[in-house]
Amino acid sequence: PRGGSLTQLSNSVGILDRMSVCHTPDGFVPFLSREGLYRIVPGAGGIEPLSKRKIPKELIRIDKSKYWVTMAYDGVDQGVHIYITPYTSTETARHWWFDWTDGTYWPVQVPTGMDPFAVLSHDIPGDESAVVLAGCRDGYVRRYDDNQVDDDGEDLNSYAMIGPIRTNRNDQEGVIRQMIGTLAESSADVNWSMYLGRTPEAAIKGSAWPSGLWVEGLNYNDAIRARGASVFLKLASTGRWAF
């Protein structure tokens, strides 16, 4: 169309590459720059950093000679897929999910050979939400499906780290005597492990102890005597699980 104008939104922040940008239904344009994740505000309202203070360091100053960056907005789960795929197998993939609702970042790992090189938000007729299609390293096009029990034949390796939790007041040590684990019905088995220490940093850097296994539903009490001022609880599984 004729007309229009060009407006410089910033002289220091720009889009990292042609595929490191997407758009949301409400008119925002998230993009990855050398300094992290930003968004363009609708109506030429300028640009804003997205969680600048807590952005993962893996999203800052990405080397374009080693990595191919693609992004897509997911209308189903309300967030942005950020895929940082290495050109060669000598580098490690660094994929992330940015939750558009609460502004949090979550690391994502996919099986070797399934790293995306192209992504597309695709509208399905009769469905108000968009679905993200990913063109992967092995030549297949894939999509996310919450009903699947594996990753296209590969185990779904996932974990959640809960904490740090203070066990006493004034940073004094406390004792955890027992744990009661309750998983959802039909949940996969979950391996739990505990990390304790004088401080949160000491706890997360220490060795896991104690540990155990939970199965679906209400589990037997785990009688333990674990001492520390700060504690992390790690829950890990190779299947679909919930607690």
Side-chain angles (χ1 to χ4, degrees):
R2 296 181 179 180
S5 61
L6 294 175
T7 302
Q8 183 178 9
L9 301 179
S10 173
N11 60 4
S12 60
V13 177
I15 299 174
L16 182 68
D17 212 340
R18 65 183 185 275
M19 298 296 292
S20 61
V21 61
C22 59
H23 66 274
T24 68
D26 50 1
F28 288 93
V29 181
F31 68 91
L32 194 64
S33 73
R34 281 182 53 80
E35 307 304 325
L37 193 64
Y38 286 77
R39 70 178 181 181
I40 301 176
V41 179
I47 61 175
E48 299 175 343
L50 292 171
S51 305
K52 184 176 181 179
R53 292 184 178 180
K54 55 183 178 181
I55 190 170
K57 64 181 181 180
E58 290 85 356
L59 294 177
I60 298 176
R61 298 190 180 278
I62 296 172
D63 188 347
K64 293 195 301 179
S65 67
K66 296 181 180 179
Y67 295 94
W68 176 250
V69 182
T70 53
M71 292 173 51
Y73 180 80
D74 191 324
V76 175
D77 293 317
Q78 306 293 305
V80 178
H81 296 277
I82 306 172
Y83 296 111
I84 306 174
T85 299
Y87 289 110
T88 65
S89 58
T90 58
E91 302 290 339
T92 302
R94 300 181 294 180
H95 309 313
W96 289 86
W97 164 260
F98 176 75
D99 192 298
W100 192 255
T101 302
D102 57 20
T104 54
Y105 293 87
W106 300 85
V108 175
Q109 182 179 1
V110 300
T112 303
M114 299 184 191
D115 294 316
F117 274 93
V119 290
L120 172 68
S121 293
H122 176 64
D123 292 326
I124 297 178
D127 191 336
E128 297 180 355
S129 300
V131 173
V132 173
L133 303 178
C136 304
R137 187 188 296 271
D138 58 5
Y140 286 92
V141 177
R142 294 182 172 88
R143 55 166 288 187
Y144 288 97
D145 186 349
D146 291 339
N147 294 320
Q148 295 301 308
V149 296
D150 56 35
D151 235 350
D152 202 4
E154 301 284 342
D155 287 339
L156 286 170
N157 293 295
S158 62
Y159 74 91
M161 186 73 78
I162 303 173
I165 302 170
R166 296 178 62 180
T167 61
N168 210 330
R169 298 179 181 179
N170 302 322
D171 295 327
Q172 296 178 350
E173 286 189 340
V175 177
I176 299 176
R177 300 183 183 277
Q178 69 172 350
M179 289 205 308
I180 304 173
T182 305
L183 302 184
E185 295 182 5
S186 302
S187 170
D189 294 349
V190 169
N191 291 288
W192 65 266
S193 52
M194 190 174 292
Y195 296 78
L196 296 103
R198 184 177 56 82
T199 64
E201 184 177 4
I204 200 68
K205 288 183 177 180
S207 300
W209 185 89
S211 60
L213 177 71
W214 289 339
V215 298
E216 63 175 325
L218 178 63
N219 287 255
Y220 292 109
N221 292 1
D222 291 298
I224 57 178
R225 286 188 62 85
R227 179 182 296 274
S230 294
V231 58
F232 287 87
L233 178 64
K234 182 177 181 179
L235 306 179
S237 180
T238 57
R240 298 181 66 214
W241 62 281
F243 76 98

